Amino acid sequence: MASVQLGLVGLGKMGFNMRERLRRAGHDVVGYDRNPDVSDASSLADLVARLDGPRVVWIMVPAGGPTRQTVEELGELLSEGDLVVEGGNSRFTDDQEHAKFLADKGIGYLDCGVSGGVWGLDNGYGLMVGGDKSNVDKAMPIFDALRPDGPREEGFAHAGAVGAGHFSKMVHNGIEYGLMQAYAEGFELLDASKVVTDVPSVIKAWQRGTVVRSWLLDLLVRALDSDPELDDLRGYVEDSGEGRWTIEEAINLAVPAPVISAALFARFASRQDDSPAMRAVAALRNQFGGHAVHKAGS
């Protein structure tokens, strides 16, 4: 594989390891981060100055304002014929705006959904890309270095036009919500049972030969190995936003998505110490049936 040069903006949990994986593949990566301890360049301007044209700059910063600001600043620093790859978790509709802004300056744009988390350094990253084929071909040595070993089509997809990469990653994360929720409910049901006495061993036994085996299951087993009852954790779960966007698009496209919806709402419920909705249910049961209620503070 021929060596290429890349600028990488954002060296957090994902970006830091992506830089290392690219360097292991022999590529020349100049990284920039606001944290000077991990940054190669002192500023975005310094990063651009260190790259030979035509340049490729990959953005890995938080979605929304930080990404928009970075795209706008790069638009003033880069030259016609350069290429920006946005690899964060941006909403796909933002990509249209970014691409148009850069196209007016003769700068190409690709959106890339990236999956792999902190394990991507060694395992590789699943990549879903949106944009023109000519730009995809230009960045292919980078994609090939980042994706898992093996057939390209099993870890990389040119999903379509601008926005298709992040749309695909959005749906991927929605599916992830549902899978995690199913495993979590199964764990709780096993844990509540008076019949099953070794829950971790049951879940571990699912890792080989069963239809529910997966990398997520392997990660659950890993967590149970260190904390068999998961007592060290509080059941409070945030959401990155992509689950919400997935459900919004399901509504827009009239596609039923009950599992993903339920998984997102379960995360909302996890943040409530005392659910107002369930207080209302308790009050209604007491009113129409005289069912017992638990008073606050008791």
Side-chain angles (χ1 to χ4, degrees):
M1 182 189 301
S3 174
V4 299
Q5 191 182 48
L6 175 72
L8 182 58
V9 182
L11 301 171
K13 293 178 182 178
M14 293 276 283
F16 185 90
N17 283 346
M18 289 169 66
R19 176 178 63 176
E20 178 60 24
R21 185 171 175 88
L22 287 162
R23 285 177 173 172
R24 288 180 184 179
H27 298 306
D28 177 15
V29 185
V30 180
Y32 169 68
D33 193 272
R34 288 184 300 176
N35 178 2
D37 293 336
V38 299
S39 189
D40 303 313
S42 59
S43 64
L44 272 182
D46 182 37
L47 177 143
V48 170
R50 294 183 183 213
L51 300 176
D52 300 325
R55 307 173 186 88
V56 179
V57 178
W58 189 303
I59 301 173
M60 287 297 291
V61 302
T67 293
R68 190 177 309 109
Q69 181 180 347
T70 303
V71 168
E72 290 175 354
E73 190 170 346
L74 284 172
E76 302 305 319
L77 295 169
L78 295 174
S79 304
E80 185 173 346
D82 290 347
L83 174 64
V84 170
V85 182
E86 208 287 87
N89 281 332
S90 291
R91 187 160 187 167
F92 74 97
T93 49
D94 292 345
D95 293 313
Q96 315 294 335
E97 299 176 13
H98 296 158
K100 184 179 184 308
F101 170 78
L102 293 174
D104 290 342
K105 301 174 181 295
I107 301 168
Y109 180 86
L110 296 173
D111 57 287
C112 183
V114 182
S115 179
V118 296
W119 300 87
L121 173 60
D122 295 319
N123 297 343
Y125 301 88
L127 306 174
M128 298 140 270
V129 180
D132 293 340
K133 184 179 184 301
S134 60
N135 287 329
V136 173
D137 290 343
K138 185 186 301 185
M140 191 56 75
I142 299 164
F143 297 140
D144 278 340
L146 289 173
R147 66 175 175 81
D149 296 335
R152 180 184 288 166
E153 62 271 17
E154 294 182 5
F156 170 88
H158 180 193
V162 167
H166 282 146
F167 191 99
S168 300
K169 178 58 163 43
M170 174 191 74
V171 175
H172 165 282
N173 280 25
I175 294 169
E176 181 183 297
Y177 276 46
L179 289 171
M180 286 194 287
Q181 187 63 28
Y183 285 134
E185 291 174 10
F187 166 78
E188 182 172 354
L189 185 57
L190 289 167
D191 193 51
S193 169
K194 297 295 191 294
V195 178
V196 177
T197 57
D198 190 346
V199 174
S201 70
V202 170
I203 294 178
K204 185 174 290 188
W206 293 347
Q207 288 182 283
R208 304 287 180 188
T210 76
V211 296
V212 299
R213 65 189 184 274
S214 73
W215 185 43
L216 279 174
L217 182 68
D218 294 343
L219 294 177
L220 177 57
V221 168
R222 187 173 183 268
L224 291 169
D225 281 343
S226 61
D227 183 9
E229 299 294 330
L230 301 182
D231 290 334
D232 294 341
L233 301 174
R234 181 180 166 216
Y236 182 105
V237 186
E238 291 285 3
D239 67 283
S240 63
E242 288 181 293
R244 303 184 191 208
W245 301 341
T246 303
I247 293 167
E248 288 176 18
E249 288 308 309
I251 293 169
N252 291 338
L253 298 172
V255 173
V259 172
I260 297 173
S261 300
L264 177 64
F265 294 147
R267 294 193 181 196
F268 294 164
S270 78
R271 303 168 205 170
Q272 295 179 306
D273 293 329
D274 183 22
S275 167
M278 296 316 294
R279 288 203 304 271
V281 170
L284 286 168
R285 292 181 77 247
N286 177 253
Q287 290 294 322
F288 71 71
H291 298 288
V293 295
H294 296 270
K295 296 295 185 182
S298 63

